[in-house]
Amino acid sequence: MQQFAGALAGNKATKSIFITTSTFTKESVEFAKSVSNSKIVLIDGDELAELMIAHNVGVSVAQVYEVKRIDSDYFAEGE
């Protein structure tokens, strides 16, 4: 994370995203928050999977569930 932040500073970047399919250590998260000259957004594997599902990237529908409700008009008296 320190090398990444250094590369950002060397290129005068103010915003960045660091993505991993794994997890970030507590120290990495704290360091990313402490960098004052640029904003580093961290996306771990769980968040990456959620984003992929939410935006239909690299996923497909495996199964669809049908939810039914009672049609009260069908059972209305006097009809």
Side-chain angles (χ1 to χ4, degrees):
M1 191 57 57
Q2 291 173 342
Q3 289 178 341
F4 183 69
L8 294 173
N11 288 294
K12 298 182 176 132
T14 57
K15 298 177 186 174
S16 63
I17 301 174
F18 195 106
I19 301 171
T20 183
T21 56
S22 183
T23 58
F24 293 102
T25 64
K26 178 182 163 188
E27 293 80 14
S28 291
V29 173
E30 290 173 3
F31 181 80
K33 288 179 182 177
S34 73
V35 176
S36 60
N37 59 342
S38 65
K39 171 135 176 93
I40 301 175
V41 176
L42 303 179
I43 298 178
D44 66 8
D46 289 342
E47 187 174 359
L48 177 60
E50 289 175 15
L51 288 167
M52 290 173 67
I53 291 167
H55 298 282
N56 291 317
V57 174
V59 298
S60 60
V61 176
Q63 192 168 8
V64 176
Y65 294 94
E66 191 173 349
V67 178
K68 298 192 179 207
R69 64 177 174 78
I70 300 294
D71 183 359
S72 57
D73 291 342
Y74 180 82
F75 294 103
E77 289 185 39
E79 293 184 26

